[in-house]
C-alpha cells in the first residue's frame, strides 16, 4: 500500500533498476478505493542534508491540490565516487467528493558524487512521459551546468531571495534559458511573494480617473523584513518597469532614485524593519495623496488605504500573501504562460539586486 502523506515517509527503499517494478506493485488491487493521478512531473533538487524528509512533507501538502509524479532529490557533491539510493512512495488524499483517494507517486533519490554527472540521467529516466516537467531548484546553481538538463524542463522554479550573489546566479539562469532555446519559463518564488501586495497596490489605479497620479508620484517607501531586501528591490523594479522609470542612481542599499519619461526624479526608500512579513508596507506619495498597503494587525490581511490633506483615510482589507513554501509553490503551479512582467522588473533593477 502507498505510504500516506501524514507519515511523511520516504517509503520503500528499492534498487535503482527496479523502480518501475516497485511502482507497479503500489497500484496492485487492494483495500480501499485509490486512483493514481498525475498532471505534471515535479522534480525538487536540494543539496541540504536532511532535505529528503523536509521536501517529502512539502510534496505531501502540494499534492493535496496538484497531482504529480514527484522526484525528490538530495545531492551530496563531495564524494568522488557515485552512489544512488532510491525510495518509492505515494501521497494519498481523499477527493473533495469524498470516498476515493487520489494518489501521487513520489520517487526519492539520495545522490553522492559529482552531481552534474548523475542528475540528468536520474531525472530523465524516471519522468512520467508526455507530461510537463517542472524543476524546483533549491540550491545554488553550479557553473558549468549540464546543457542536457535543460532540454526537457518546461518551468524552472527557484527562490532568488536566498541567493548570495544575484548577478552570478541569474547569469546561470539566463544561460539555462538560452540552452533551452528560450522555451524555459522562469518562475521565481521571490516574485510570487509579491503577488497579493502588487495586486493591492495596483487596484488604487484601476479607474482611468486615477491614472494622472502615475505622473505625479514624488516618492515612496518600502519596508522589508531582514533578509528580504531583494524582495523589496523586485517590488521597486516592478513599479519602475510598469511606469517606464529608469534608475538614475542608488544611495547604498537604502534608496533608489528613478527618473520618469519627463525627467522627473522619484525617490524610493528601502527600509529594513523587523517584522514577520517579507514586505511590511509600501507607500507612494502622489500630488499630496498617500497610497499605502500594509499588513493588518489582525489576521492574514492587507490594510489598503488612500488619504491626504483634503480627504479622510478609508482603510479596506484585502487578502495577504502566505510566505510558507507549500503555499508559494501551490500558487506558482496554478499558473501558465511566461512571466514577462517579472523579467521587466528584473531588468529595471538588475544592478541593485
Amino acid at each position: 500500500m502507498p505510504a500516506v502523506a501524514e507519515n511523511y515517509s520516504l517509503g520503500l527503499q528499492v534498487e535503482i533498476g527496479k523502480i518501475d517494478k516497485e511502482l507497479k506493485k503500489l497500484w496492485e488491487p487492494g483495500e480501499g478505493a485509490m486512483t493514481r493521478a498525475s498532471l505534471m512531473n515535479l522534480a525538487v533538487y536540494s543539496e541540504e542534508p536532511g532535505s529528503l524528509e523536509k521536501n517529502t512533507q512539502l510534496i505531501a501538502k502540494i499534492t493535496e491540490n496538484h497531482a504529480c509524479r514527484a522526484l525528490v532529490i538530495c545531492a551530496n557533491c563531495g564524494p568522488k565516487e557515485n552512489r544512488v539510493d532510491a525510495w518509492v512512495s505515494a501521497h494519498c488524499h481523499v477527493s473533495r467528493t469524498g470516498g476515493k483517494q487520489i494518489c501521487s507517486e513520489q520517487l526519492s533519490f539520495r545522490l553522492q558524487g559529482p552531481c552534474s554527472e548523475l542528475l540528468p540521467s536520474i531525472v530523465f529516466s524516471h519522468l512520467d512521459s508526455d507530461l510537463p516537467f517542472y524543476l524546483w531548484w533549491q540550491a545554488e546553481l553550479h557553473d558549468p551546468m549540464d546543457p542536457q538538463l535543460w532540454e526537457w524542463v518546461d518551468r524552472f522554479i527557484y527562490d532568488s531571495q536566498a541567493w548570495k550573489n544575484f548577478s552570478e546566479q541569474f547569469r546561470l539562469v539566463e544561460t539555462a534559458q538560452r540552452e533551452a532555446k528560450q522555451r524555459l519559463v522562469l518562475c521565481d518564488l521571490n516574485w510570487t511573494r509579491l503577488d497579493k501586495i502588487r495586486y493591492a497596490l495596483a487596484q488604487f489605479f484601476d479607474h482611468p480617473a486615477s491614472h494622472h497620479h502615475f505622473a505625479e508620484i514624488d516618492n515612496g517607501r518600502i519596508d522589508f523584513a531582514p533578509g528580504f531586501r531583494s524582495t523589496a528591490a523586485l517590488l521597486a523594479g516592478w513599479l519602475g518597469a510598469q511606469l517606464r522609470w529608469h534608475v538614475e542612481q542608488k544611495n547604498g542599499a537604502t534608496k533608489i532614485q528613478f527618473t520618469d519619461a519627463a525627467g522627473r526624479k522619484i525617490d524610493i526608500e528601502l527600509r529594513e524593519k523587523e517584522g514577520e512579513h517579507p514586505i511590511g508596507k509600501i507607500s507612494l506619495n502622489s500630488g499630496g495623496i498617500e497610497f499605502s498597503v500594509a499588513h493588518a494587525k489582525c489576521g492574514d490581511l492587507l490594510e489598503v488605504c488612500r488619504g491626504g490633506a483634503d480627504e479622510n483615510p478609508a482603510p479596506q482589507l484585502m487578502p495577504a500573501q502566505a510566505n510558507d513554501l507549500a503555499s508559494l509553490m501551490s500558487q506558482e503551479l496554478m499558473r501558465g504562460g511566461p512571466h514577462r512582467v517579472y523579467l521587466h522588473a528584473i531588468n529595471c533593477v538588475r544592478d541593485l539586486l
Side-chain angles (χ1 to χ4, degrees), residues 186-303:
L186 305 182
C187 308
D188 188 351
L189 297 182
N190 207 22
W191 179 249
T192 310
R193 282 187 184 92
L194 295 171
D195 278 2
K196 298 294 176 61
I197 204 163
R198 289 190 298 116
Y199 178 80
L201 188 63
Q203 59 85 34
F204 282 124
F205 311 102
D206 279 346
H207 197 281
S210 299
H211 290 183
H212 69 93
H213 285 291
F214 292 146
E216 299 173 4
I217 295 174
D218 300 307
N219 56 71
R221 192 184 76 214
I222 301 172
D223 293 344
F224 63 93
F228 288 93
R229 184 190 176 279
S230 64
T231 316
L234 267 180
L235 183 54
W238 168 69
L239 282 170
Q242 296 302 97
L243 298 176
R244 294 182 173 86
W245 296 346
H246 300 280
V247 174
E248 181 74 13
Q249 64 181 21
K250 59 177 179 175
N251 182 8
T254 61
K255 186 174 290 186
I256 307 171
Q257 187 175 84
F258 292 96
T259 57
D260 65 11
R264 295 176 55 255
K265 299 187 185 305
I266 304 101
D267 292 325
I268 303 295
E269 180 186 359
L270 307 182
R271 186 177 71 168
E272 183 175 315
K273 188 176 181 180
E274 289 293 333
E276 59 180 305
H277 305 288
I279 301 296
K281 179 179 180 179
I282 178 172
S283 59
L284 297 175
N285 295 297
S286 173
I289 305 295
E290 182 185 57
F291 302 91
S292 70
V293 178
H295 279 271
K297 295 179 180 179
C298 55
D300 297 328
L301 296 169
L302 294 172
E303 184 176 276

Side-chain angles (χ1 to χ4, degrees), residues 63-263:
T63 54
E64 290 178 9
N65 297 303
H66 303 279
C68 64
R69 171 177 283 190
L71 280 65
V72 179
I73 302 161
C74 178
N76 177 2
C77 303
K80 295 182 179 179
E81 294 187 4
N82 291 332
R83 174 176 171 173
V84 181
D85 297 306
W87 294 262
V88 297
S89 63
H91 299 284
C92 298
H93 307 278
V94 177
S95 66
R96 289 188 174 89
T97 58
K100 183 176 291 187
Q101 292 191 83
I102 306 300
C103 298
S104 296
E105 297 171 334
Q106 177 177 318
L107 311 183
S108 304
F109 301 94
R110 181 175 288 121
L111 310 184
Q112 297 188 59
C115 302
S116 61
E117 296 180 4
L118 290 170
L119 187 59
S121 60
I122 288 292
V123 169
F124 298 145
S125 59
H126 296 100
L127 294 178
D128 204 348
S129 62
D130 299 326
L131 292 177
F133 174 31
Y134 293 13
L135 175 58
W136 181 10
W137 195 274
Q138 296 180 344
E140 294 274 314
L141 292 162
H142 302 290
D143 190 11
M145 299 288 290
D146 191 330
Q148 183 185 4
L149 182 63
W150 309 112
E151 292 181 3
W152 294 88
V153 179
D154 295 291
R155 301 181 80 84
F156 181 46
I157 304 170
Y158 52 92
D159 189 350
S160 66
Q161 182 268 332
W163 287 349
K164 297 176 182 177
N165 186 331
F166 184 93
S167 59
E168 176 62 21
Q169 289 293 296
F170 200 72
R171 180 185 67 81
L172 294 174
V173 168
E174 290 179 314
T175 298
Q177 194 175 40
R178 285 195 299 272
E179 290 173 343
K181 298 179 176 60
Q182 304 299 323
R183 186 180 60 86
L184 189 69
V185 176
L186 305 182
C187 308
D188 188 351
L189 297 182
N190 207 22
W191 179 249
T192 310
R193 282 187 184 92
L194 295 171
D195 278 2
K196 298 294 176 61
I197 204 163
R198 289 190 298 116
Y199 178 80
L201 188 63
Q203 59 85 34
F204 282 124
F205 311 102
D206 279 346
H207 197 281
S210 299
H211 290 183
H212 69 93
H213 285 291
F214 292 146
E216 299 173 4
I217 295 174
D218 300 307
N219 56 71
R221 192 184 76 214
I222 301 172
D223 293 344
F224 63 93
F228 288 93
R229 184 190 176 279
S230 64
T231 316
L234 267 180
L235 183 54
W238 168 69
L239 282 170
Q242 296 302 97
L243 298 176
R244 294 182 173 86
W245 296 346
H246 300 280
V247 174
E248 181 74 13
Q249 64 181 21
K250 59 177 179 175
N251 182 8
T254 61
K255 186 174 290 186
I256 307 171
Q257 187 175 84
F258 292 96
T259 57
D260 65 11

